[in-house]
Amino acid sequence: MNWTDERVEKLKRLWSEGLSASQIAAQLGGVSRNAVIGKVHRLNLPGRAKAGGSTTTVRAAKRPAGAQRTPNYTARNTTTTRTVTRAAGANLLKEEIEIDGLEEIQISRSTNVVLPISRKLALTELTERTCKWPIGDPMKDDFHFCGCESADTSPYCNYHAKLAYQPVGERRRAAAAAAR
DNA sequence: CCCTGATTCGC
DNA sequence: GCGAATCAGG
């Protein structure tokens, strides 16, 4: 692929907006992130424009005071941090989201399905191993993809793969059969 | 292991 | 000039 003026301009714009080299490569198409980085250097476009990236800490909601614990759930003390990238105006903001404390994880006896926490990725941020389950209205701008880790070779995470490939009614039947 | 940018060097 | 390979880091 050739570095036309068009593409160079787009590169400059996206780089100054704080997109990562791989994200820019994805948008340009036909080039690797190394190509992008190399080009950035040759253009003397130095250093990441920090673009005022803010760090926000978000606490996961605890179980409401009256909520019942059900046999299918187990409570676990966890501290999890994950970095999400989200569009905010012209910039992509990196946010550290910390989820800690009492987190309930569903342990379904027969299926072992865990409800995913959506990473809210944009189309260009999907990789081979992010869940491509769409969430929301494609016409609206809060549209995004699940983005959780997808199971080996699957386009979806464990949870959404089950939704995608199995009728709900049949799942109970199959589970019952397996238990026997 | 996933990702990031930086640098080198054969082409 | 280009970018894959590599390095260094989170």
Side-chain angles (χ1 to χ4, degrees):
Chain A
M1 200 58 100
N2 202 29
W3 283 112
T4 63
D5 286 357
E6 300 268 319
R7 291 164 63 77
V8 170
E9 225 177 303
K10 192 169 185 179
L11 164 62
K12 286 179 180 175
R13 178 167 47 83
L14 296 175
W15 182 259
S16 67
E17 285 174 1
L19 273 75
S20 72
S22 62
Q23 288 173 321
I24 294 172
Q27 295 220 1
L28 289 174
V31 286
S32 67
R33 71 175 198 94
N34 276 329
V36 169
I37 292 171
K39 188 61 179 173
V40 163
H41 276 242
R42 267 170 256 124
L43 288 170
N44 301 311
L45 294 181
R48 253 292 137 264
K50 281 279 181 173
S54 65
T55 300
T56 313
T57 299
V58 178
R59 300 291 177 190
K62 311 274 193 214
R63 187 191 317 112
Q68 291 290 331
R69 178 191 302 253
T70 72
N72 267 0
Y73 284 77
T74 184
R76 206 183 265 181
N77 280 320
T78 58
T79 299
T80 309
T81 49
R82 65 172 65 217
T83 301
V84 298
T85 307
R86 75 147 195 228
N91 297 323
L92 284 178
L93 298 184
K94 291 246 174 177
E95 291 192 357
E96 283 271 312
I97 293 188
E98 191 175 283
I99 301 162
D100 69 352
L102 194 61
E103 179 180 354
E104 290 197 349
I105 298 181
Q106 185 179 18
I107 306 289
S108 177
R109 222 172 316 161
S110 48
T111 63
N112 203 26
V113 166
V114 176
L115 289 177
I117 302 170
S118 169
R119 294 179 61 203
K120 300 189 177 180
L121 297 185
L123 175 61
T124 53
E125 294 167 333
L126 295 174
T127 72
E128 283 90 9
R129 64 192 73 75
T130 53
C131 178
K132 294 161 192 66
W133 187 271
I135 297 173
D137 185 345
M139 288 293 100
K140 297 187 170 182
D141 56 5
D142 63 344
F143 177 71
H144 60 270
F145 293 87
C146 168
C148 288
E149 179 188 353
S150 61
D152 206 36
T153 70
S154 170
Y156 303 118
C157 66
N158 201 16
Y159 176 76
H160 286 128
K162 286 215 160 38
L163 288 186
Y165 300 133
Q166 284 188 355
V168 229
E170 214 168 317
R171 232 187 306 168
R172 305 186 78 85
R173 178 184 307 276
R180 236 179 290 128

